[in-house]
Amino acid sequence: MTIWDALFQGIVQGLTEFLPVSSSGHLSLVQYFTGNSGETGAMFSILLHLGTLIAVFIAFRKIIFDLILEAFAMLGDIFRGKFSFRKMNPKQRMIWLFVLSEVPLLFFILVKDYVSMVSSDNSILVEGLCFIVTGCLLLLADKLGSGKIDMETMRPKDALAMGVAQGIATLPGISRSGSTVATGLLMGLDRGYAVTFSFIMGVPAVLGANILEIGDALSEPFPLSTGVVIVGILSAVIFGLLAIKMVQWLIHTDKYKYFGYYTLALGAVVTKSRLYSRSK
């Protein structure tokens, strides 16, 4: 893999991780058409996800820092016997709901190896079908979704629904940000709060998934140079920050639905091309 490959893949990862178009799906397509698929491509994808994770910490540093402080204070109250679920403040509720949203991932850990196999194989049929699913979900949320539920009024079932969507988004072509934000909108969340909750809830999920994957990858010889890794991660951070700003603007406009049209069209083209190549 060259420096230019790393730069291009970092840009793709940074933009598509937060725009509702599936970073894993787009990376699979890029790696497939540039000949960088397989185990090396899967390992590099892990590193690029760490780059976009850094972008989330930078973009939402204030609320993440506040939640960390609140979490320590809440643990102190629990040990002193002063904590009460009924008297939780909004930030404590948000922390509890973040924890709840990660519960569905316990099931998806069981199918981690299958998802990794699909992501690193030399076929793009699954990606095409998943792009179509993403497009349908985005258009449905645009037509039916959005409400007024925020940090103070979000319900446990809202967090669980977004957690299930996050788990399904481990499939390449299902957008994590798109599926979780769309699910939040369908549950009645405020548009801005749906984006914030979606991006922050992804931090432990992406971090945990990368820790598991890196553990497996380190058992094999590392195939990438330091320069390639640095360029890839830095470009993912920079363009990830840009994409976060774009989503925060787009979610309040009528332009979010166009990503639904885009993923539907992309899915149709990818699926048709793969089926056509199989028939030859």
Side-chain angles (χ1 to χ4, degrees), residues 13-168:
Q13 167 66 24
L15 291 176
T16 59
E17 175 68 17
F18 304 110
L19 295 176
V21 294
S22 176
S23 62
S24 58
H26 278 77
L27 272 181
S28 290
L29 294 182
V30 170
Q31 292 170 354
Y32 175 81
F33 287 112
T34 59
N36 289 310
S37 57
E39 294 300 323
T40 300
M43 179 59 192
F44 195 58
S45 297
I46 295 171
L47 297 173
L48 295 181
H49 274 88
L50 290 177
T52 46
L53 193 63
I54 293 171
V56 173
F57 274 106
I58 294 173
F60 296 97
R61 58 190 177 278
K62 184 179 185 306
I63 187 169
I64 290 176
F65 183 69
D66 289 345
L67 289 173
I68 291 173
L69 291 180
E70 192 64 52
F72 280 112
M74 190 165 61
L75 286 174
D77 289 341
I78 291 173
F79 284 120
R80 291 194 299 269
K82 296 181 178 180
F83 178 76
S84 171
F85 277 103
R86 294 182 178 180
K87 297 181 180 179
M88 287 190 296
N89 62 43
K91 288 181 180 177
Q92 290 175 337
R93 277 181 50 80
M94 194 174 186
I95 293 170
W96 158 242
L97 292 172
F98 277 136
V99 173
L100 194 60
S101 71
E102 307 301 332
V103 171
L105 288 178
L106 297 176
F107 166 77
F108 290 98
I109 289 176
L110 300 176
V111 295
K112 176 178 73 72
D113 292 339
Y114 171 74
V115 173
S116 297
M117 180 184 69
V118 171
S119 301
S120 58
D121 66 8
N122 290 317
S123 173
I124 52 174
L125 179 59
V126 172
E127 284 86 341
L129 295 174
C130 288
F131 277 129
I132 293 173
V133 172
T134 294
C136 292
L137 184 58
L138 291 174
L139 292 176
L140 181 64
D142 180 75
K143 187 170 292 291
L144 304 177
S146 187
K148 296 182 179 180
I149 295 175
D150 57 13
M151 186 188 300
E152 298 185 11
T153 56
M154 188 177 183
R155 303 155 297 184
K157 66 178 183 179
D158 302 327
L160 283 172
M162 293 180 72
V164 171
Q166 178 169 251
I168 296 173

Side-chain angles (χ1 to χ4, degrees), residues 250-267:
L250 287 168
I251 195 68
H252 293 291
T253 69
D254 194 35
K255 297 178 176 62
Y256 203 66
K257 64 184 178 185
Y258 293 114
F259 291 103
Y261 297 133
Y262 166 74
T263 48
L264 270 180
L266 179 62

